[in-house]
Amino acid sequence: MNITKAILFTLGASAALLSSSCSDDKTYAELLADENRYTNFYLADQKVINEIPADSVFEYGEDAPFYRLDEDGNLYMKVLDPGTEDNMVEDDELIYFRFSRWNLSKYEGNGQFAEGYTPDGNNAALGGNYYFRYNNYSLSSSYNYGEGIQEPLKYLPVDCHVLIIIKSQKGVSSEIAYVIPYLYDLRYFRPKV
């Protein structure tokens, strides 16, 4: 009889623990709603234009707007430096990039992120070569970083400098399930020959 009570108690405690942990889990739809909320909260402090300029001439500089790059609102780009004219990338060209990125769920408004929060990336350090072959998603070096990293090069020369918001669907392939939007500070480079 004591063994039966112990088993029932253990099963009951396990069921209670499981139900409480399940109530903390969010559905994918809820995670997507959170991702949209984080993105919109950040963009509320910015000037936003919901289309790409017809002539593909973007305003640039610190006060430039964010441009929505896709219909689904997964990518928003602000051009800090448009780069050198006639320096466009070619398909399958090897491109290196340097970046810093901020998790937008840590954004607190008015240009501030949570105290003590620091971005990750390779902008500050000299190590860490990140590269892709432009528009060649058959290679893991290209698809691992997601489509969003390459998107600015559809419109701008290789030596451009942009801020880009990349939602999870267009972001790093291993992070899609986390459903976190990131703000990237990106620069691109050709390999030195």
Side-chain angles (χ1 to χ4, degrees):
M1 194 70 155
N2 287 341
I3 294 175
T4 304
K5 284 183 181 178
I7 291 172
L8 288 175
F9 176 76
T10 303
L11 288 174
S14 297
L17 183 61
L18 284 174
S19 68
S20 69
S21 67
C22 288
S23 66
D24 292 340
D25 291 342
K26 292 186 177 187
T27 67
Y28 187 65
E30 290 170 325
L31 292 172
L32 287 173
D34 285 348
E35 181 179 48
N36 284 333
R37 188 170 41 86
Y38 300 142
T39 302
N40 291 339
F41 183 59
Y42 179 80
L43 288 173
D45 289 338
Q46 308 295 321
K47 180 180 174 188
V48 178
I49 296 177
N50 284 321
E51 56 190 14
I52 298 165
D55 57 4
S56 293
V57 176
F58 294 87
E59 291 180 46
Y60 64 92
E62 290 295 327
D63 295 327
F66 273 87
Y67 293 92
R68 187 180 72 191
L69 298 182
D70 67 331
E71 288 182 18
D72 298 324
N74 287 313
L75 301 167
Y76 291 86
M77 179 178 73
K78 178 179 188 172
V79 180
L80 297 175
D81 181 346
T84 308
E85 200 173 328
D86 299 325
N87 191 21
M88 300 303 285
V89 69
E90 295 181 20
D91 276 351
D92 202 39
E93 184 176 357
L94 179 65
I95 299 294
Y96 286 88
F97 64 97
R98 299 194 74 68
F99 73 99
S100 294
R101 72 175 187 166
W102 294 262
N103 178 332
L104 288 182
S105 72
K106 307 291 185 194
Y107 185 68
E108 295 186 337
N110 297 320
Q112 301 297 313
F113 284 82
E115 188 176 333
Y117 175 74
T118 56
D120 62 338
N122 66 348
N123 254 344
L126 293 177
N129 288 328
Y130 290 83
Y131 60 90
F132 54 80
R133 290 229 170 240
Y134 180 71
N135 221 14
N136 183 348
Y137 293 104
S138 65
L139 301 171
S140 64
S141 62
S142 294
Y143 73 75
N144 282 343
Y145 302 116
E147 296 173 43
I149 291 292
Q150 296 187 31
E151 192 74 13
L153 295 179
K154 287 183 179 178
Y155 310 100
L156 298 167
V158 171
D159 56 344
C160 68
H161 179 198
V162 301
L163 294 177
I164 186 168
I165 293 171
I166 302 176
K167 288 186 181 177
S168 59
Q169 293 300 307
K170 299 285 186 175
V172 177
S173 61
S174 64
E175 298 175 350
I176 289 174
Y178 300 124
V179 195
I180 301 288
Y182 285 94
L183 171 66
Y184 283 79
D185 181 325
L186 273 171
R187 297 172 190 259
Y188 304 93
F189 306 92
R190 286 191 167 94
K192 293 183 180 179
V193 187

